[in-house]
Amino acid sequence: MKQIINDLLAQALRELEQSSQIPPRLGVDIQVTPSKDPGQGDFASNVALVLAKPAGMPPRELAAAIVGRLAACDSIDRVEIAGPGFINFFVASALSQSVINRILEQGDRFGGSAQGAGVKVQVEFVSANPTGPLHVGHGRGAAYGATLANLLAFVGYEVQKEYYVNDAGRQMHILGTSTWLRYLELCGETIDFPSNGYQGDYVWDIAATLHREQGERFRKPAAQAFADVCADFPQGDKERHVDDLIANAHGLLGEDEYRVVFDLALDTLVDVIRNDLHAFGVDFDCWFSERSLGDEGLIEQAITRLQDNGYVYEEGGALWFRSTDFGDEKDRVVRRDNGQTTYFASDIAYHMNKFERGFDKVINIWGADHHGYIPRVKASLSALGYVADNLEVQLVQFANLFENGEKIAMSTRSGEFVTLRQLREDVGLDAARFFYVMRKAEQHMDFDLDLAREQSSDNPVYYLQYAHARICSVRRQCAEKGIEVSTQTANLLRLDNEHEQALIKQLSLFPERVESAANRREPHLVVNYLRELANHFHSWYNAHQFIVGDTELRDARIALAAAVAQVLRNGLNLMGVSAPEKM
RNA sequence: GCGCUCGUAGCUCAGUUGGAUAGAGUGUUGGCCUCCGAAGCCAAAGGUCGUGGGUUCGACUCCCGCCGAGCGCGCCA
């Protein structure tokens, strides 16, 4: 429809140019937008305002000239000039009502498109360190990423969802050593647990599994484990304290034995995370191991490639990547003077690998605290010869958690946090998923746990679900009363009151709103849309009876309601929220 | 100090990329079930869009300064 109006306007402008009423080649994008006020028609264009100055005519006069040249069209009932010079278009009702049949025919495909056909996109999200269960802070990225992936798939992209498992770093060694120390305690050793170790109960669970399955195979005297270890906080340095403990664990157990403990902790937590996410309605296509990058020589390969391209130099015994050549604020170390490659080097290799796997577009969803990291990763891609813009980083702001009116800090280390699982069990999957994607991802968000728990019935998700349930209820009523409903005999032209007009228009907007949400990576636009749709529906429901004696009208209204239900389902489905038939 | 993300109704947030009288939810105050589900509807009240300039037919939106909030600036991951 937009396109039709656009063409009409373009044609009128060409005619004006030819008759020299306006100067040639003003070359402006014609904008056609849906109107918000029904009094302003269905669509409006501001061409006359934009062209007024270059054409040297007052906007309203120009608008009149354009309207005078508009070709007749069955789709348009009438055209009006309003305000400072807007041109408002009123769409013929027969045409707008045809959307109902289109929705009922297309079913769960309505709103989708083939915009992204043939384009491979990877969405990487969550990727939390497997050092503990996911907490509510991870929920936002999980819900956002999953919804974005659904949206992209819906508009035709070939989407792969990936979780990057940080299984190689120091944090993991702290976890492995924490597990081993708890295990020693279970063996009967007396231990002063490091303040910087992982103190959550889940570490006890893993240690217990180890003890149950392996007996005392890994037992060493506590005195040896703590031999020559730097003092812990507050007397000493808590960071060195754990590092020394890690070194002792390695030395006492030997590499192979240490690995058994380490891998048990790792595998257990990855399983926990995978299960938590699955229960949250989020499933990944690929779990990519950081450790595999080194094992398969990809890190060395990436560094060599940077070297070959001339972006690497040595200084102070370390190897540096000249990221400042690509706008980064300083150069970055890729190999330390002790010979170890940095986390950044792994990330370079990881991103290189993503593009080697053939993705046209790579979307990373990161917590806002990682924003400073973007320039160097993009720099590395440019240096490797890729198009840096094909990597897109979407930042998700933290949710501030409030409980009892106070902001609560969460720490995986101390074990003090609310898990994603607890949240879901408290408020339910639908409310939790909806809550997270309700707001724009870059917006700082306050998450009131008490409100979420105790007044979860206030969650706006129920407003949408209720609309759906009401429609299903009407259909049940018809069945109980033995009323046959047929969309074939419906006369959609009877849907002529203002509520119905508004509702039909809202339905017709769904595909473009979905596309816009996908292209802008803003799932909350779908939420806003669905709320508007539900609002129009509830107003209509309160103002009119559906089950009336006039079969032509009854069938038309029920067809419209069925179309609303279909769009609600399609929208909720994108967010991983159910559309119940009863509540 | 530099950089990123922000600042809109009492509270939580939208605002279709520069358009018409800045909108929802929640809270407050009224009204609506003899009727398909009141988890709903209708109405009222509530605003210097942080602030001061600039750009233009037109600014919540774009540019600059200032104030305030969160985050980031390591041979950590």
Side-chain angles (χ1 to χ4, degrees), chain A residues 2-32:
Chain A
K2 247 175 164 173
Q3 195 54 47
I4 295 172
I5 294 172
N6 214 303
D7 293 345
L8 285 172
L9 287 169
Q11 179 60 27
L13 287 171
R14 270 196 298 278
E15 287 181 23
L16 286 173
E17 277 180 20
Q18 278 158 17
S19 61
S20 302
Q21 284 174 272
I22 58 170
R25 283 194 302 276
L26 292 173
V28 182
D29 289 342
I30 298 171
Q31 282 184 37
V32 177

Side-chain angles (χ1 to χ4, degrees), chain A residues 73 157 169 238 538:
Chain A
C73 173
Y157 291 93
K238 63 178 180 180
H538 285 307

Side-chain angles (χ1 to χ4, degrees), chain A residues 276-422:
Chain A
D276 280 357
L277 284 168
H278 177 74
F280 196 57
V282 180
D283 293 291
F284 287 86
D285 303 306
C286 178
W287 294 72
F288 193 96
S289 155
E290 178 189 354
R291 206 199 299 168
S292 73
L293 292 166
D295 292 349
E296 290 169 24
L298 294 179
I299 299 174
E300 290 309 319
Q301 203 179 308
I303 292 175
T304 304
R305 207 159 133 189
L306 288 175
Q307 262 166 339
D308 292 347
N309 291 353
Y311 296 111
V312 172
Y313 63 93
E314 205 179 318
E315 190 178 293
L319 211 55
W320 296 73
F321 164 49
R322 202 190 315 278
S323 57
T324 49
D325 279 6
F326 303 93
D328 196 9
E329 51 191 25
K330 57 169 290 193
D331 292 339
R332 310 290 174 177
V333 171
V334 288
R335 195 198 309 281
R336 295 196 279 266
D337 55 8
N338 65 9
Q340 286 188 329
T341 54
T342 59
Y343 177 81
F344 178 46
S346 298
D347 244 2
I348 296 173
Y350 179 43
H351 285 85
M352 175 179 82
N353 176 262
K354 287 188 181 197
F355 284 103
E356 289 302 310
R357 278 188 271 162
F359 294 110
D360 301 300
K361 186 108 202 162
V362 167
I363 300 177
N364 290 354
I365 293 163
W366 286 353
D369 55 335
H370 284 75
H371 68 261
Y373 202 70
I374 300 171
R376 75 188 74 165
V377 175
K378 290 204 166 216
S380 73
L381 287 171
S382 298
L384 288 168
Y386 300 103
V387 179
D389 282 346
N390 288 338
L391 166 68
E392 190 181 299
V393 180
Q394 293 295 327
L395 296 177
V396 175
Q397 287 288 347
F398 291 124
N400 289 320
L401 282 182
F402 286 85
E403 196 164 26
N404 303 321
E406 283 180 19
K407 188 171 169 179
I408 53 176
M410 288 196 301
S411 157
T412 307
R413 200 66 65 89
S414 65
E416 288 170 7
F417 54 87
V418 182
T419 65
L420 187 58
R421 179 169 289 272
Q422 286 169 331

Side-chain angles (χ1 to χ4, degrees), chain A residues 173-188:
Chain A
H173 287 290
I174 296 176
L175 176 76
T177 300
S178 297
T179 305
W180 182 57
L181 292 173
R182 288 303 193 202
Y183 164 86
L184 292 183
E185 288 187 71
L186 289 176
C187 290

